[in-house]
């Protein structure tokens, strides 16, 4: 919910394929924990572990340690600092992901050094 120029509150959701082995053929590159780790997972234990981990990060957020959260996020960011090909719908180009900004924009450095920012679904990874 946005009030003026500020986010008043938000709701998030998390989807996780756990013990799923078969997917709709129309889903591009689906996976699950079962397929990645080649073993079944106990859902009760998984939920307990997930809740504990989520609580740690929530407490980190409440403590105002946003730099710690962003550092952890960037340490797992796919293709961070790696040259790859992208399309913005009009042009294909090569760039390195520099990071994700606090507003959620993906920041890329193009081959010539120019920095560009893209919102959700404004670019596509081509490689």
């Amino acid at each position: 919910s946005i009030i003026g120029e500020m986010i008043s509150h938000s709701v998030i959701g998390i989807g996780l394929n756990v013990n799923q082995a078969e997917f709709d053929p129309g889903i591009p590159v689906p996976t699950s924990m079962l397929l990645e780790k080649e073993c079944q997972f106990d859902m009760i234990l998984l939920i307990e572990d997930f809740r504990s981990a989520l609580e740690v990060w929530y407490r980190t957020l409440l403590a105002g340690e946003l730099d710690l959260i962003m550092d952890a996020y960037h340490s797992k960011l796919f293709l961070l600092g790696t040259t790859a090909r992208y399309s913005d719908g009009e042009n294909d180009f090569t760039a390195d992901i520099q990071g994700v900004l606090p507003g959620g924009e993906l920041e890329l450095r193009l081959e010539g050094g120019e920095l560009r920012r893209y919102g959700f679904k404004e670019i596509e990874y081509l490689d």
Side-chain angles (χ1 to χ4, degrees):
S1 175
I2 298 176
I3 298 176
E5 294 183 9
M6 300 294 295
I7 296 174
S8 169
H9 62 275
S10 64
V11 176
I12 62 169
I14 299 170
L16 184 62
N17 297 324
V18 179
N19 291 323
Q20 188 170 352
E22 296 181 16
F23 293 87
D24 182 310
I27 299 173
V29 198
T31 194
S32 67
M33 292 174 62
L34 168 70
L35 295 176
E36 295 297 322
K37 297 295 184 179
E38 298 178 352
C39 65
Q40 290 277 330
F41 287 83
D42 180 309
M43 293 299 290
I44 300 300
L45 291 175
L46 181 67
I47 289 169
E48 289 172 358
D49 287 348
F50 183 79
R51 188 206 56 78
S52 294
L54 187 60
E55 184 174 350
V56 168
W57 287 111
Y58 182 61
R59 289 185 187 280
T60 304
L61 176 65
L62 291 178
E65 298 182 57
L66 301 180
D67 288 342
L68 182 61
I69 294 169
M70 289 304 289
D71 288 347
Y73 177 75
H74 280 110
S75 76
K76 303 291 185 196
L77 188 59
F78 181 62
L79 293 178
L80 180 67
T82 303
T83 302
R85 291 184 331 106
Y86 301 91
S87 174
D88 62 10
E90 295 178 13
N91 299 300
D92 293 356
F93 57 93
T94 302
D96 293 347
I97 294 176
Q98 300 299 295
V100 176
L101 301 173
E105 302 95 350
L106 184 66
E107 186 173 55
L108 299 174
R109 182 176 306 278
L110 279 65
E111 286 181 306
E114 176 188 358
L115 285 175
R116 288 192 191 166
R117 298 175 179 175
Y118 294 93
F120 184 64
K121 292 194 175 186
E122 288 184 339
I123 64 167
E124 178 184 0
Y125 169 61
L126 298 176
D127 289 339

